Amino acid sequence: MSSRPVQMRPEISTLEESQIVEVWRMGFDYPDTIGMWVGQGDLPTPRFICDATTRALAEGQTFYTHKRGIPELRQALADYHRDLYGVEIADSRIAVTSAGMNAMILIMQTLLSAGDNIVCITPVWPNIFAVAQIMGGHAKHVPLTGTDQGWVLDLDRLFDACDARTKAIYIASPGNPTGWIMPEDQRRATMDFARRRGIPIIADEVYHRLVYNAAVAPSFLEIAAPDDPLFIVNSFSKTWAMTGWRVGWMIMPLGLTDQIDRLIEFNTSGGQSFLQTGCVAAIRQGEDWVRWMVDRCRQGRDLVMERLGTMNRVSVVPADASYYLMLRVEEMGDATEFCKRLVREAGVGLAPGTAFGAGGEGYLRLCYAQGNDRLNQAMDRLQSVLRRG
Ligand SMILES: Cc1ncc(COP(=O)(O)O)c(C=O)c1O
């Protein structure tokens, strides 16, 4: 007897594959491709972090642990925020999560019911749209405008997009794929708006250290009170080259600790203590490495900007943060098809801007967190295709 098909919730059966993955998967058939499509650098996690982790594993840190993370890591994170921004974050506001992605899910499970919406400044990391859909809600897009000076937000459009069903404003600053940093006056005005309207801000600060004109990007934590409607999403993925570890953290407003603790119990039941011990090493001993890595990315950004600047048909929106650039190629046609052509004909992997929501149309995203030789080679290949027309 044949079985009847499993009835999925429509929110799940209609989840679409990211266009980034669609192009990235092609790379398996073209192994020589220089991939600049996904959001990570080419460096493995630094040795001192791995060593601290393997020691913890060998010592038997293999049991269930605190839902909000081991106390040593929460303390290290509190110290980190104090040193970085001069703010005191109470331990009760910190929760270690399975990277930024899981922090997003926990926050959205806390805030969003079916029929609600989240207002997102786009183009942006598209997973946030899918999380809203999984919750039975949807994401409203407020596009930035790309100019030859950088990306610009019309704040009135952001506020106008918020309605009675808006349960959060999602702001990634520095942004992926734009590298946009929300200016100080806009941050303050948005925080005031959030307080007045009771709409929480989700400030995604996973690229907080990847800035090229300062030691750290400005944070919403610097302008918010502990009980303000503000959630911070952060991660070990980008700053310490730990994308595969799946460890991050969130900072919540005062008063939510017990509920978030429970929510973690029913999602992951907490993280892996040996990995978290490695994360303590990242925070406590990682500053020299972070400085070196950011400087390497700065060199990559400068190299790519210079090379793209000499190519016909190409224009780039400049950015001082994250490790991405958004570029336009005149007459390229459909962005996803063009990206596939770049893989086939040149062995260069870029991501279509359309994957990142409104405002990304007509752009390609390039991740430059790689060594200079590879970047130069990728630029040579790109140039050869553009010459061909
Ligand atoms: C803006 C932004 N937020 C969050 C994440 C999630 O990163 P992870 O889940 O690896 O911490 C990413 C990943 O690319 C991102 O670009």
Side-chain angles (χ1 to χ4, degrees), residues 174-209:
N176 165 14
T178 56
W180 169 75
I181 294 180
M182 191 179 222
E184 160 103 29
D185 56 333
Q186 293 196 338
R187 257 181 307 124
R188 289 190 181 279
T190 309
M191 196 67 244
D192 285 345
F193 178 84
R195 287 183 187 118
R196 230 176 21 253
R197 293 280 295 266
I199 301 176
I201 293 172
I202 303 173
D204 182 333
E205 301 187 346
V206 307
Y207 297 98
H208 66 302
R209 300 304 298 274

Side-chain angles (χ1 to χ4, degrees), residues 99-101 125 170 172 176 204 206-207 235 237-238 246:
M101 186 63 229
W125 175 60
Y170 173 74
N176 165 14
D204 182 333
V206 307
Y207 297 98
S235 175
S237 288
K238 316 289 175 174
R246 315 310 301 136

Side-chain angles (χ1 to χ4, degrees), residues 285-359:
Q285 301 160 43
E287 282 306 300
D288 285 349
W289 191 85
V290 172
R291 262 191 297 277
W292 175 83
M293 182 274 296
V294 173
D295 195 52
R296 182 174 184 262
C297 284
R298 179 193 290 106
Q299 289 176 35
R301 192 269 316 254
D302 292 348
L303 184 155
V304 168
M305 281 294 285
E306 196 191 316
R307 293 288 311 266
L308 292 174
T310 65
M311 291 185 205
N312 283 339
R313 298 170 55 204
V314 175
S315 57
V316 190
V317 183
D320 276 324
S322 82
Y323 42 44
Y324 310 104
L325 284 169
M326 289 282 265
L327 52 123
R328 271 181 181 284
V329 176
E330 276 169 29
E331 293 166 20
M332 81 178 166
D334 177 79
T336 305
E337 287 311 313
F338 189 73
C339 286
K340 289 181 177 172
R341 187 180 152 208
L342 286 179
V343 176
R344 273 193 310 269
E345 295 182 18
V348 182
L350 303 187
T354 33
F356 303 93

Side-chain angles (χ1 to χ4, degrees), residues 81-143:
H81 288 93
R82 192 194 50 235
D83 295 348
L84 219 46
Y85 307 117
V87 295
E88 292 295 337
I89 306 292
D91 177 76
S92 61
R93 295 180 61 202
I94 301 174
V96 176
T97 58
S98 293
M101 186 63 229
N102 172 241
M104 285 304 319
I105 291 180
L106 291 167
I107 296 167
M108 300 287 263
Q109 286 177 347
T110 305
L111 300 177
L112 228 64
S113 298
D116 289 339
N117 67 70
I118 168 169
V119 170
C120 304
I121 299 172
T122 58
V124 82
W125 175 60
N127 292 28
I128 182 71
F129 312 146
V131 182
Q133 176 177 335
I134 289 166
M135 297 307 301
H138 68 281
K140 295 171 94 175
H141 299 200
V142 178

Side-chain angles (χ1 to χ4, degrees), residues 59 98 114 206 266 277 282 375:
E59 284 163 9
S98 293
V206 307
F266 303 128
T277 298
L375 290 176

